[in-house]
Amino acid sequence: MSEQTQEQTRERGADAERRVVVVGAGMAGVQTAVALREQGFTGTVTLIGAEPHQPYDRPPLSKAILLGTAEGSAFDVDFEALGITLRLGCEALGVRPDAHVLDTSAGPVPYDVLVLATGAEPIRLPGTEGVPGVHLLRTLDDAERLRPVLARQHDIVVVGAGWIGAEFATAAREAGCAVTVVEAADRPLAGALPAEVAAPMTDWYADSGAVLRTHARVERVERGGSGAPGHVVVLDDGSRLPAGAVVVGIGARPATTWLAGSGIDLGAHGDVLADDRLRTSVPDVYAVGDCASFPSGRYGERLLVHHWDNALQGPRTVAANIIGAAVGENPVAYDPVPYFWSEQFGRFVQYAGHHTATDTTLWRGDASGPAWTVCWLREDRLVALLAVGRPRDLAQGKRLIQAGTTMDPRLLADPARPLKAATA
């Protein structure tokens, strides 16, 4: 028997009796289960999801499903063929790490390795929980409830001008609804982008026929009286905005409240504090996707990334480390270049990397035009970029960030020059 065959036999033996339980049936959870099988894990894999639906992808919820151009977004995964057990409509209630037991609404589930992939949950507007006609957009059921609202072309008030608010406003305008977006900050995307970068995006709302009101904080939402269907959104300046429906998109937080008392360390935002191998503070428990933060060697700080690509990439590291731990292999570090994209008001917006307020900002192109890019430099190295209608900039820029390449700012500022030709 060759040395390679002996090694493979040893790995299969180490895995065969191990039980991996993955909590969360979104992108991160599904990809973790699939990656385990793709990388040769032979033990049992159980995927637990709180929703009753077949596991599905979320990005189409604010686009095709909302507009009725697609009926669903279930993952194209044959779970049975992969030997992955699905337990749907099963809510995680707690973890007992010492006993290696996950407590669920369907009873206790023992594990040898547990993966936390419960994602994030939307922040609710205070005082509106359970109020009919006030909507969130996070789940398939949310999208199904909102689809007829758009079809009836209601007047809609969107609370929050972040990524999800802009995407919903875009879909609502495409459906023919009158849309008013109210934002407490002084600009769209205030939590993600500096003022000078967000400024040109303000005009996108008016160009699409949507009304954007900044410095506008919602005080309360009133139900319409007899003869006045719908709601009235009351702002802190006394303004009253009639609305057939209200959609709240004011952010999300890690879905981790159920971990209270487990001994698993959480951060200030409720994020599971994973290490650079995506291991939690207790043995045999990993965390991946929107619910977890991780230390980035590239950026020198802990990152909490609520985007699809992180939920796609992280599971490969988790799977490799679960398999490697059984045979004593050195764990694999996770240090990606974060990436996300958004379609809003007829524009394709992409972002890669991570920037801070102290990084140097450099523009490529005219922000009043249809295509432009903003780059962030740290010691002349590209650390992040935002590309609007310039996918080639994004693709090249992501590779340059990954490589830590030194750039020539003068060449970089020329939008006619490829990014890869702007190196020092």
Side-chain angles (χ1 to χ4, degrees):
M1 183 181 293
S2 70
E3 185 175 328
Q4 182 180 8
T5 303
Q6 287 177 332
E7 178 67 17
Q8 290 172 341
T9 301
R10 185 163 67 93
E11 289 183 11
R12 283 196 295 269
D15 282 340
E17 302 303 321
R18 290 208 298 165
R19 301 160 298 180
V20 175
V21 175
V22 182
V23 189
M27 171 62 79
V30 167
Q31 290 300 322
T32 298
V34 170
L36 282 165
R37 292 303 190 217
E38 287 180 344
Q39 295 181 30
F41 182 76
T42 57
T44 64
V45 178
T46 302
L47 183 62
I48 293 178
E51 294 183 55
H53 310 290
Q54 276 290 114
Y56 61 88
D57 204 6
R58 293 189 188 277
L61 297 184
S62 61
K63 305 173 183 72
I65 292 175
L66 196 58
L67 291 171
T69 57
E71 289 303 316
S73 60
F75 291 110
D76 184 17
V77 175
D78 190 335
F79 294 100
E80 185 176 356
L82 290 172
I84 298 169
T85 301
L86 288 182
R87 297 187 63 175
L88 304 177
C90 180
E91 184 179 359
L93 303 177
V95 181
R96 289 177 278 153
D98 290 345
H100 278 61
V101 169
L102 170 73
D103 289 313
T104 77
S105 57
V109 179
Y111 66 84
D112 294 304
V113 179
L114 180 67
V115 181
L116 308 177
T118 46
E121 56 193 5
I123 297 172
R124 298 178 181 275
L125 190 65
T128 64
E129 189 166 355
V131 176
V134 178
H135 301 267
L136 300 168
L137 181 54
R138 184 69 181 175
T139 68
L140 182 61
D141 289 339
D142 292 337
E144 293 292 353
R145 282 189 288 267
L146 276 165
R147 188 155 62 176
V149 172
L150 297 194
R152 289 195 293 268
Q153 297 186 333
H154 278 298
D155 289 357
I156 293 176
V157 171
V158 179
V159 183
W163 300 111
I164 193 67
E167 290 185 0
F168 180 81
T170 299
R173 287 299 299 140
E174 287 183 29
C177 300
V179 178
T180 300
V181 180
V182 296
E183 168 58 52
D186 62 347
R187 63 186 187 275
L189 296 166
L193 298 174
E196 63 177 313
V197 178
M201 297 177 172
T202 302
D203 295 335
W204 297 357
Y205 287 80
D207 292 345
S208 75
V211 175
L212 173 64
R213 295 188 58 163
T214 56
H215 299 285
R217 190 174 297 276
V218 175
E219 188 172 279
R220 65 184 182 277
V221 178
E222 298 178 352
R223 294 287 302 274
S226 59
H231 301 75
V232 175
V233 178
V234 183
L235 304 182
D236 58 357
D237 66 357
S239 300
R240 298 172 64 84
L241 307 176
V246 179
V247 178
V248 179
I250 55 176
R253 59 168 63 94
T256 57
T257 55
W258 64 282
L259 292 172
S262 68
I264 296 171
D265 290 345
L266 303 180
H269 301 287
D271 46 310
V272 179
L273 295 175
D275 67 8
D276 63 349
R277 271 67 174 172
L278 299 182
R279 301 171 298 197
T280 72
S281 60
V282 304
D284 302 320
V285 180
Y286 294 78
V288 66
D290 290 5
C291 71
S293 63
F294 56 90
S296 168
R298 176 178 288 105
Y299 291 106
E301 61 180 288
R302 178 170 286 274
L303 300 183
L304 176 59
V305 181
H306 281 183
H307 294 299
W308 185 90
D309 192 64
N310 179 52
L312 175 67
Q313 304 296 338
R316 298 166 188 166
T317 298
V318 170
N321 288 335
I322 289 172
I323 294 168
V327 294
E329 291 183 356
N330 290 330
V332 178
Y334 185 61
D335 196 6
V337 174
Y339 166 75
F340 74 89
W341 58 274
S342 176
E343 290 180 296
Q344 49 186 271
F345 308 117
R347 293 165 175 85
F348 187 47
V349 183
Q350 296 173 283
Y351 178 93
H354 173 71
H355 72 271
T356 67
T358 59
D359 295 324
T360 301
T361 305
L362 189 147
W363 291 78
R364 285 169 56 83
D366 182 358
S368 65
W372 45 274
T373 296
V374 177
C375 300
W376 283 272
L377 299 175
R378 188 177 304 170
E379 297 176 352
D380 285 343
R381 285 182 166 80
L382 188 65
V383 294
L385 80 161
L386 176 82
V388 177
R390 291 180 68 99
R392 184 173 296 177
D393 274 7
L394 190 288
Q396 294 180 9
K398 189 176 181 183
R399 289 193 289 270
L400 292 165
I401 295 169
Q402 187 89 44
T405 305
T406 302
M407 309 299 295
D408 182 327
R410 180 181 57 84
L411 300 178
L412 190 62
D414 179 2
R417 181 184 293 272
L419 270 174
K420 63 183 180 181
T423 58

